[in-house]
Amino acid sequence: MAAAPEARVVAAGADPHNWVPVSVRRIHFRPPGLKAGSRIGPLGPFRGTLGIHWVIGSIVVGLLILFAVTWGLFHAGRPTDPFRVVGTVDRLPAATAREVLGGVFLGRTASGQVFAVAEPANCPLEVDGAAYVDCLGLEYQLDGRPVKRGQPLIRLPLQVYRGEIFVDPTG
């Protein structure tokens, strides 16, 4: 067996005849019990030092990531308290209105836009066709604007999420 060749290391400005032999071998890290460069299948070098806890841990982390992504996709944007579900858009025909909570009316204009209004204090509202009428006989459109005269009704915050209508009754 031939000896490994030696390399000459010469510092700048040093005498080239006064050199120190340096080994050319490299240090290799490998798992115990296998020869260097052993390959098992198409996945590369053998990695037999990892235990079953690494497999279980990676499965648990993968499931947590899957759960977080699924929850984020299906629940992100859903209104929370104080919003309450009062119905669905497809169950509220155009140009109609109805009372959905005590003192909260939900109306849908002929163009399909949905509005929630609160009835005035001490003056109950009634639905009359495609309009609201208060105790004084004043008429209001489904969006809360007065037909002829008077102050507009208070519009409540409203959000439509996946076809469901959410209203903030504390508005």
Side-chain angles (χ1 to χ4, degrees):
M1 180 170 198
E6 296 179 341
R8 287 188 170 198
V9 177
V10 179
D15 181 16
H17 299 291
N18 207 4
W19 58 277
V20 177
V22 176
S23 176
V24 195
R25 293 183 182 215
R26 295 182 359 205
I27 299 174
H28 295 279
F29 294 99
R30 61 184 168 85
L34 288 180
K35 294 180 181 176
S38 295
R39 296 182 70 84
I40 296 180
L43 300 177
F46 177 66
R47 304 276 188 237
T49 57
L50 300 178
I52 190 71
H53 57 280
W54 285 95
V55 175
I56 294 171
S58 62
I59 291 172
V60 168
V61 169
L63 289 174
L64 287 175
I65 291 171
L66 180 67
F67 174 74
V69 168
T70 304
W71 187 85
L73 288 175
F74 291 108
H75 290 92
R78 183 180 173 89
T80 58
D81 286 338
F83 284 90
R84 295 180 53 192
V85 179
V86 293
T88 59
V89 175
D90 59 350
R91 295 217 174 197
L92 186 64
T96 60
R98 67 173 185 236
E99 186 172 11
V100 290
L101 299 171
V104 176
F105 288 81
L106 189 64
R108 186 171 181 192
T109 62
S111 64
Q113 198 167 7
V114 181
F115 293 95
V117 296
E119 69 182 5
N122 300 326
C123 189
L125 283 178
E126 292 181 13
V127 178
D128 182 25
Y132 301 115
V133 179
D134 68 3
C135 61
L136 301 174
L138 297 175
E139 288 187 22
Y140 299 91
Q141 296 176 2
L142 295 178
D143 60 0
R145 292 182 296 158
V147 173
K148 295 182 181 175
R149 60 182 173 84
Q151 294 292 322
L153 297 173
I154 298 172
R155 284 190 192 168
L156 298 174
L158 176 133
Q159 290 184 12
V160 177
Y161 176 76
R162 296 189 177 182
E164 291 183 315
I165 302 170
F166 291 81
V167 175
D168 179 3
T170 62

